[in-house]
Amino acid sequence: MIALASDHVGIELKKHIMDYLDELHLEYRDYGTYSTERCNYPEYALKAANAVASGECEKGIICCGTGIGISIAANKVKGIRCVVCSDCYSALLSRQHNNTNMLSLGSRVVGKDLGLMIVKSWLEGKYEGGRHQVRIDQIAEIEQTGTISGK
């Protein structure tokens, strides 16, 4: 299950992503917004990030104008590792090395075609574990305690 959310600027890209997920027969839940009326992206980032953090959804994809603001809001939720991407390579490696559980896209930055290519790369990426797990554990420790043991 994939959590989706956007603000009013990202809604068109979100709709294209929904169509793409339908083609792949992947389930998703849309946490809003549902119109182009001006809104505040943190409200929708929080809904999608909470769904991922709680396990209700396995992953999340969120959109706003640049992808930056909505990703910052999502990353405030404990357990979320949201990456904003504007290229396929970073999207793939964010999954392989950082085990990101949310992807953020900027509709004004990537547009439809590149946006869908990035989603494809991110969805296909598989976490490699191994040497990368030490870093994921350190990130989690920072989130929990504000520090890294022995540092």
Side-chain angles (χ1 to χ4, degrees):
M1 181 67 65
I2 299 170
L4 298 177
S6 71
D7 68 357
H8 58 287
V9 178
I11 194 167
E12 273 310 303
L13 181 56
K14 182 179 71 172
K15 288 178 182 178
H16 292 300
I17 293 168
M18 291 165 81
D19 291 342
Y20 178 64
L21 296 176
D22 286 338
E23 288 175 22
L24 297 176
H25 306 287
L26 294 175
E27 292 186 80
Y28 58 85
R29 288 196 182 122
D30 184 0
Y31 291 90
T33 192
Y34 307 108
S35 80
T36 57
E37 185 177 323
R38 185 174 301 274
C39 64
N40 298 315
Y41 58 77
E43 297 170 28
Y44 302 99
L46 179 62
K47 290 176 183 181
N50 279 337
V52 173
S54 72
E56 180 181 330
C57 293
E58 180 186 353
K59 297 175 183 158
I61 302 173
I62 54 180
C63 307
C64 70
T66 63
I68 297 169
I70 202 166
S71 72
I72 291 170
N75 277 317
K76 298 300 179 184
V77 174
K78 187 175 179 179
I80 296 301
R81 289 177 308 284
C82 182
V83 62
V84 58
C85 284
S86 56
D87 67 274
C88 297
Y89 181 76
S90 296
L92 177 63
L93 265 66
S94 79
R95 290 285 304 132
Q96 292 177 338
H97 294 190
N98 308 111
N99 200 19
T100 54
N101 52 14
M102 292 189 76
L103 171 67
S104 182
L105 299 170
S107 63
R108 292 177 173 158
V109 177
V110 300
K112 174 192 172 190
D113 293 336
L114 179 56
L116 294 180
M117 290 170 62
I118 293 167
V119 168
K120 180 181 188 301
S121 296
W122 187 75
L123 289 173
E124 290 176 353
K126 303 293 181 225
Y127 180 52
E128 294 175 352
R131 72 183 194 277
H132 305 294
Q133 189 58 49
V134 172
R135 297 165 192 142
I136 300 301
D137 293 343
Q138 287 180 325
I139 291 168
E141 188 174 1
I142 291 168
E143 188 175 60
Q144 295 286 327
T145 68
T147 188
I148 299 172
S149 297
K151 303 291 174 193

